Amino acid sequence: MKPWIVLCGSILITTAAAVLLPSLQALDSGTAAVRETQATISSQQRVLLTDDNLVDTLKELPLTTPIASVSWEHSVLTLDVKLSKEETAPLEIYQNMAEIAAFSFYGTTNVRQLLLRVVTQDEWSGERHLLLASDIRRNEWTIEALDQLRSREGADLPEELKARFRITVTPMWQSRFNGVYTD
């Protein structure tokens, strides 16, 4: 080979390396920064639910219906949500159910199952009555199901959603919401 070809090739390779290597390093540090940011956000948003932080964590949820009772045992969160006003609509109930499920499965690291009940309390006797019960499991929950539950206008839910959440309603639910919801 002629010496000038070797010299030009060396200069070309050196110039290309000087230009491309900093770009590759910046690209790698950019993806590392994104991974670090995602890890930081995930660790800040996801909570390890325990008996010690249960009440404080749940009171931060943006619910329009109050929590009547809660229990935490062996990765199973059990919540009773109490309807306190007569004009509560099914949409509001479903939105609260979606918020609780989103918290349970996206906001925590250790809730495996959510047992959610909607109850009402008789003003005169103080007795609680079950309106709706649901058994939701982490491995069966999807973001699409969450969106579908949040956007329900009427009391009637699609069969797929009722089956996925194992929703059971009582005759009291049916009479309160004019029988539009049937199992």
Side-chain angles (χ1 to χ4, degrees), residues 25-96:
Q25 195 275 332
L27 179 63
D28 183 52
S29 67
T31 55
V34 167
R35 274 187 248 118
E36 184 178 318
T37 303
Q38 287 174 342
T40 303
I41 288 172
S42 296
S43 67
Q44 287 178 349
Q45 290 180 344
R46 294 184 64 123
V47 176
L48 178 68
L49 205 57
T50 64
D51 288 333
D52 296 334
N53 68 0
L54 181 64
V55 173
D56 292 334
T57 305
L58 289 175
K59 76 177 183 181
E60 300 298 320
L61 292 178
L63 302 177
T64 57
T65 52
I67 296 173
S69 68
V70 63
S71 103
W72 171 246
E73 194 172 326
H74 305 294
S75 299
V76 177
L77 179 61
T78 303
L79 275 168
D80 285 355
V81 178
K82 185 170 96 176
L83 299 186
S84 55
K85 51 187 183 204
E86 204 52 45
E87 63 274 1
T88 303
L91 173 63
E92 185 178 351
I93 295 167
Y94 295 148
Q95 288 173 340
N96 283 305

Side-chain angles (χ1 to χ4, degrees), residues 65-130:
T65 52
I67 296 173
S69 68
V70 63
S71 103
W72 171 246
E73 194 172 326
H74 305 294
S75 299
V76 177
L77 179 61
T78 303
L79 275 168
D80 285 355
V81 178
K82 185 170 96 176
L83 299 186
S84 55
K85 51 187 183 204
E86 204 52 45
E87 63 274 1
T88 303
L91 173 63
E92 185 178 351
I93 295 167
Y94 295 148
Q95 288 173 340
N96 283 305
M97 287 175 67
E99 284 302 319
I100 293 167
F103 162 75
S104 298
F105 304 128
Y106 300 126
T108 69
T109 58
N110 60 334
V111 175
R112 182 178 41 82
Q113 182 179 11
L114 171 64
L115 300 175
L116 181 61
R117 296 180 293 212
V118 177
V119 298
T120 188
Q121 191 165 358
D122 186 280
E123 291 179 20
W124 299 103
S125 68
E127 186 179 340
R128 283 190 186 168
H129 301 283
L130 179 66

